[in-house]
Amino acid sequence: MATATQTFLNKETSTNHPVPPQPKPWPDRMVRYSGIAWFLAAAIGQWIFVFYVVLQYIPELVQFGLPGLANTTLPDGYIAGDMAGNLAIAAHVLIAIIIIGSGPLQFIPHIRNRFPRFHRYVGRVYIVMASITSIAGLYIVWTRGVPGGLVGHLAISLDAVLILAFGGLAINFATKRQIDRHRRWAMRLFMVVSAVWFFRIGLMFWFITTGGIGINPETFEGPFLTFMYFGQMAIPLLILEAYFLAQRSKNNALKSSVAVVLILATGAILVGTFAATMGMWFPRLI
Ligand code: HEM
């Protein structure tokens, strides 16, 4: 009888008073919240960039067609007689609006969980468009050239290769339903697609904090630019890998250190975005 009562009481205890979910320990929360802060700063900065691209290119293209590219600030934006090159540039900037505008939406859990079909649709469009615009970018770089010399050419071409490779891997793991691996490759893809934006805010961060040490404004070359040509991909990818490591690790010191790095990176993004908006994008529009 005693055993039956005990069993009954145990059952009561376990069904009527389920153990409440335990809050995550503070190092995990630090990683989570600093990751969210980083993401929000990046999303705001990217949407300001999109806003600039829309206002810089759409009115010219709508009003004058491809020759309108000559009125923009792009070096060699329009070359008479080079139809393929002009089309590649127009496609490149128009697609940029779609991918930079939609990329951050993919990481918002609310949208992903409540509208999974939207997530899948935007994801496919994002990867296809990022691949097309990278191929168009490669064509422009190697036919028209860009400031920055051979190092600049090679670095941005590497970015194109990484975009194609990471996009392929993200799709591959999504179709195999290996969701964790898909998530990781999609986040890496987002970082390399965002490299051109990181480059601009990194450059303006450097200008505002050092006055532009290591940059030759005539040739757009110099030690800092060589560092940034590759850093535009390497730095965000390293920060992302540190974030993944902190999520997996049980080491609180490591988690806290990564959270501090994320907070510092968030500050740098905010300063760089402010400097790029006020010093580069806004003046081009007025
Ligand atoms: C997929 C991510 C990319 C996005 C979102 C993107 C976006 C843009 C935007 C918005 C511009 C106009 C810049 C401005 O007005 O300041 C631009 C220019 C340009 N992009 Fe990209 N781009 C991407 C990747 C690439 C890649 C991979 C290449 C080359 C392989 C490339 C080559 C170029 C070139 C040559 C220009 C014009 C010249 C210049 O910036 O100096 N882009 N891109």
Side-chain angles (χ1 to χ4, degrees):
M1 181 65 188
T3 328
T5 313
Q6 196 62 48
T7 313
F8 172 76
L9 284 177
N10 282 348
K11 260 193 181 169
E12 277 291 279
T13 316
S14 62
T15 49
N16 287 352
H17 305 286
V19 181
Q22 295 299 306
K24 284 193 173 232
W26 63 266
D28 290 283
R29 275 184 282 152
M30 268 181 79
V31 172
R32 180 175 147 75
Y33 291 126
S34 55
I36 292 175
W38 185 96
F39 169 78
L40 287 177
I44 292 168
Q46 298 205 356
W47 284 328
I48 294 175
F49 184 42
V50 171
F51 189 65
Y52 149 76
V53 177
V54 168
L55 293 184
Q56 162 89 241
Y57 296 97
I58 299 275
E60 295 297 339
L61 286 168
V62 167
Q63 212 176 338
F64 304 108
L66 292 176
L69 290 169
N71 307 331
T72 66
T73 48
L74 273 187
D76 298 328
Y78 177 76
I79 295 181
D82 179 13
M83 185 62 149
N86 298 331
L87 270 177
I89 292 213
H92 189 72
V93 291
L94 293 177
I95 291 176
I97 295 169
I98 302 171
I99 55 177
I100 314 176
S102 68
L105 296 179
Q106 293 294 89
F107 297 99
I108 300 174
H110 221 69
I111 298 183
R112 216 171 43 218
N113 298 335
R114 293 195 65 183
F115 309 102
R117 286 180 70 181
F118 175 80
H119 176 77
R120 277 201 290 274
Y121 177 75
V122 173
R124 286 191 195 115
V125 171
Y126 183 89
I127 293 177
V128 171
M129 292 288 170
S131 306
I132 294 174
T133 205
S134 300
I135 292 165
L138 276 175
Y139 180 76
I140 308 163
V141 168
W142 293 101
T143 56
R144 290 194 180 181
V146 275
L150 183 62
V151 179
H153 286 53
L154 291 175
I156 194 71
S157 304
L158 173 65
D159 188 38
V161 173
L162 293 180
I163 290 170
L164 294 168
F166 292 2
L169 287 163
I171 290 211
N172 179 38
F173 289 121
T175 46
K176 287 182 179 161
R177 292 283 175 270
Q178 296 184 17
I179 298 308
D180 195 47
R181 297 176 94 177
H182 160 70
R183 176 183 145 261
R184 279 163 201 269
W185 283 107
M187 288 171 86
R188 290 178 185 126
L189 174 66
F190 174 74
M191 293 299 182
V192 288
V193 167
S194 305
V196 291
W197 171 79
F198 283 119
F199 181 80
R200 284 161 174 80
I201 62 152
L203 189 66
M204 295 310 285
F205 174 85
W206 192 247
F207 269 117
I208 206 172
T209 51
T210 70
I213 296 171
I215 297 175
N216 178 343
E218 306 290 313
T219 57
F220 212 55
E221 290 174 50
F224 177 73
L225 281 173
T226 303
F227 166 75
M228 257 328 271
Y229 285 136
F230 293 97
Q232 63 181 325
M233 300 156 258
I235 299 168
L237 283 175
L238 282 174
I239 291 180
L240 180 65
E241 293 308 320
Y243 175 70
F244 289 155
L245 188 67
Q247 281 188 321
R248 281 196 309 266
S249 169
K250 302 224 178 308
N251 182 331
N252 286 346
L254 182 108
K255 284 180 190 284
S256 318
S257 312
V258 170
V260 170
V261 170
L262 282 169
I263 290 163
L264 292 176
T266 305
I269 287 180
L270 292 174
V271 174
T273 299
F274 174 78
T277 307
M278 301 314 288
M280 184 160 62
W281 299 324
F282 187 58
R284 288 182 187 174
L285 296 176
I286 50 176

